[in-house]
């Protein structure tokens, strides 16, 4: 017996990609604009999302899914804003996948009804705190925000380039701590520009409210346009 | 441990392809892995050893071919290697590009079968 090479050429994540594509199509048809947030643990996703939900919720019907390894603390913080919120417990999985989003929208048949997307203007998805793994999984979102805090080092983009390649906008968080942390703004902007030339950067703080209005305008405009915000790039859509 | 998820996906996919082709003995699974795919080659290789156990491709070796990052240079108007795996700039003229044309592959390319 001699070995033979059989070409198969299959994308490893093709099932996730197909599920994500179907979700994206559904979101578009139902008019729900979907924004995901990724960052390392503790960069400020839940805090910022609470601010966004509170303010955006005054004008729009807003909802959120939050992925966490174990607790439902973040879900409770988010639900306190009045938004519709569901928790996705990922167990040992360190990232969200499109099928988890799909299941969460369906709800747990026992006590949760499927979400009516036509009744939701915005869906935010907080990913598990992790800058590596979420990069490989399309969730069907229209816009992916990558958050980096002023306290975690200016070389984050160079260490985790893939997540920056797949995100649309970079959000710098905890700007109120910039001085205390000795944050080097120019070095951070340079690092972002090197891995993702031309990437839009929004500087925020939930302590003094900086940048929150800018973010809200960004997503509101995204929803009004009904499409990706940076069609000239191909990072977010893979190859 | 996202390499383990990826390894399980590879095992599942290779098993499906083997079944479809009627191959009962898969000696190796050939993978194309982009240098900017966000997957660590060594971690994936050891995860694969766990993932393949008890599967249809339990005997198979994972052969990983790494793919360098290539961009389309807006200045040179051709595909060029990037200066590094991290930075999408033309290795020739340094111009930044938003079009990465290779380097993010995560693809089961071929099966090495015995028949
Ligand atoms: N000073 C300051 N602290 C902040 C800011 N945003 C968040 N924090 C603090 O940072 C810590 C982590 O914030 P979270 O919002 O829970 O971060 P996260 O990214 O959701 O965390 P995980 O979900 O665990 O990954 C909390 O103690 C927040 O109060 C900010 O803008 N300024
Ligand atoms: Mg959180
Ligand atoms: Zn060039």
């Amino acid at each position: 017996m001699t070995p033979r090479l059989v070409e198969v050429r299959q994308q490893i994540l093709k099932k996730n990609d197909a599920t994500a594509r179907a979700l994206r199509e559904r979101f578009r048809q139902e008019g729900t604009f979907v924004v995901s947030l990724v960052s390392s643990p503790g960069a400020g996703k839940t805090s910022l999302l609470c601010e966004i939900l509170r303010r955006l919720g005054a004008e729009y019907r807003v909802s959120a899914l939050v992925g966490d390894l174990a607790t439902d603390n973040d879900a409770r913080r988010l639900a306190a804003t009045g938004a519709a919120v569901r928790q996705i417990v990922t167990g040992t999985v360190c990232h969200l996948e499109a099928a988890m989003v799909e299941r969460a929208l369906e709800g747990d048949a026992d006590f949760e009804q499927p979400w009516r997307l036509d009744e939701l203007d915005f869906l935010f998805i907080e990913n598990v705190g992790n800058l590596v793994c979420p990069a490989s999984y399309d969730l069907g979102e229209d816009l992916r925000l990558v958050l980096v805090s002023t306290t975690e080092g200016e070389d984050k983009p160079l260490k985790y380039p893939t997540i920056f390649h797949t995100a649309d906008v970079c959000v710098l968080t905890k700007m109120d701590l910039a001085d205390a942390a000795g944050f080097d703004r120019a070095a951070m902007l340079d690092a972002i520009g090197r891995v993702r030339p031309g990437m839009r950067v929004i500087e925020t703080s939930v302590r003094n409210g900086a940048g929150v209005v800018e973010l809200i305008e960004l997503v509101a405009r995204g929803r009004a346009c009904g499409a990706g915000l940076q069609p000239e790039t191909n990072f977010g859509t893979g190859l | 441990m996202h390499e383990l998820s990826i390894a399980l996906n590879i095992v599942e996919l290779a098993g499906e392809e083997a079944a479809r082709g009627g191959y009962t003995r898969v000696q190796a699974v050939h993978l194309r892995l982009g240098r900017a795919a966000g997957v660590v080659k060594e971690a994936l290789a050891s995860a694969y050893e766990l993932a393949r156990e008890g599967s249809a491709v339990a005997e198979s070796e994972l052969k990983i071919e790494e793919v360098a990052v290539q961009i389309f240079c807006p200045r040179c108007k051709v595909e060029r290697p990037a200066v590094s795996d991290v930075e999408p700039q033309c290795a020739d003229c340094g111009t930044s590009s938003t079009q990465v044309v290779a380097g993010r592959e995560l693809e089961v390319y071929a099966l090495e079968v015995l028949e």
Side-chain angles (χ1 to χ4, degrees):
Chain A
M1 282 198 287
T2 47
R4 183 162 75 88
L5 205 62
V6 189
E7 208 173 279
V8 293
R9 309 205 69 148
Q10 296 286 337
Q11 295 305 316
I12 292 165
L13 298 175
K14 66 175 179 174
K15 282 181 187 152
N16 186 78
D17 290 345
T19 307
R21 256 197 310 278
L23 278 175
R24 186 170 284 115
E25 184 54 38
R26 220 174 110 197
F27 293 142
R28 202 147 286 177
Q29 276 175 8
E30 306 274 7
T32 308
F33 191 73
V34 183
V35 182
S36 77
L37 293 87
V38 290
S39 79
S40 48
K45 298 179 293 300
T46 307
S47 306
L48 190 61
L49 196 44
C50 282
E51 278 303 306
I52 294 174
L53 291 174
R54 205 172 283 128
R55 299 203 202 183
L56 206 59
E59 231 180 293
Y60 297 93
R61 298 165 300 178
V62 294
S63 61
L65 294 175
V66 53
D68 251 310
L69 297 174
T71 73
D72 65 350
N73 293 347
D74 284 3
R76 279 189 279 114
R77 284 165 65 195
L78 294 168
T81 65
V85 174
R86 268 179 198 169
Q87 164 88 21
I88 302 175
V89 179
T90 59
T92 57
V93 183
C94 55
H95 57 267
L96 291 178
E97 299 187 9
M100 299 178 187
V101 171
E102 200 176 38
R103 275 199 302 276
L105 295 176
E106 280 315 301
D108 174 333
D110 290 338
F111 57 96
E112 290 173 334
Q113 294 297 309
W115 267 352
R116 295 267 319 253
L117 288 177
D118 61 341
E119 293 173 356
L120 296 176
D121 299 318
F122 287 96
L123 170 66
F124 292 87
I125 305 175
E126 177 180 337
N127 215 315
V128 181
N130 180 341
L131 276 180
V132 183
C133 312
S136 303
Y137 299 88
D138 185 358
L139 302 179
E141 69 267 63
D142 296 293
L143 183 73
R144 181 177 289 190
L145 306 178
V146 59
L147 282 63
V148 197
S149 68
T150 52
T151 58
E152 61 184 298
E154 294 79 6
D155 55 355
K156 271 278 150 67
L158 296 167
K159 284 184 181 160
Y160 302 94
T162 311
I163 197 78
F164 284 82
H165 291 165
T166 64
D168 302 289
V169 173
C170 179
V171 178
L172 296 181
T173 61
K174 311 189 189 180
M175 285 305 294
D176 58 292
L177 298 178
D179 287 343
F183 175 65
D184 186 342
R185 184 172 174 276
M188 176 66 92
L189 294 179
D190 178 64
I192 296 167
R194 275 165 67 190
V195 297
R196 187 70 197 270
M199 186 177 217
R200 177 154 176 202
V201 179
I202 300 180
E203 300 176 22
T204 68
S205 163
V206 299
R207 291 286 179 270
N208 61 30
V212 178
V213 170
E214 194 182 339
L215 257 177
I216 284 174
E217 281 169 4
L218 175 84
V219 298
R221 199 168 55 249
R223 179 171 183 274
C225 299
L229 295 167
Q230 298 185 331
E232 76 276 13
T233 66
N234 70 345
F235 284 102
T237 54
L239 295 167
Chain B
M1 269 310 280
H2 120 283
E3 277 77 9
L4 186 56
S5 303
I6 302 276
L8 288 165
N9 280 312
I10 296 172
V11 165
E12 185 187 348
L13 225 165
E16 282 170 12
E17 289 300 319
R20 187 156 64 172
Y23 311 117
T24 49
R25 297 185 61 191
V26 179
Q27 214 175 28
V29 174
H30 288 246
L31 183 77
R32 280 166 61 82
L33 176 62
R35 288 242 177 88
V39 173
V40 181
K41 185 182 170 185
E42 292 71 26
L44 182 62
S46 44
Y48 189 79
E49 299 194 357
L50 282 176
R52 72 183 170 187
E53 270 181 41
S55 77
V57 294
E59 310 278 279
S60 67
E61 183 191 343
L62 184 66
K63 292 190 177 169
I64 303 174
E65 179 199 334
E66 285 192 288
V67 184
V69 181
Q70 291 261 352
I71 52 121
F72 180 83
C73 175
R75 179 142 168 235
C76 303
K77 305 267 183 240
V78 288
E79 290 181 12
R80 293 258 197 237
V83 286
S84 79
D85 297 340
V86 183
E87 300 155 289
Q89 275 108 53
C90 175
D92 212 61
C93 72
T95 305
S96 288
S97 169
T98 52
Q99 279 177 281
V100 172
V101 295
R104 298 199 58 224
E105 293 77 0
L106 259 179
E107 180 188 44
V108 172
Y109 184 74
L111 302 180
E112 218 171 287
V113 300
L114 281 176
E115 44 179 18

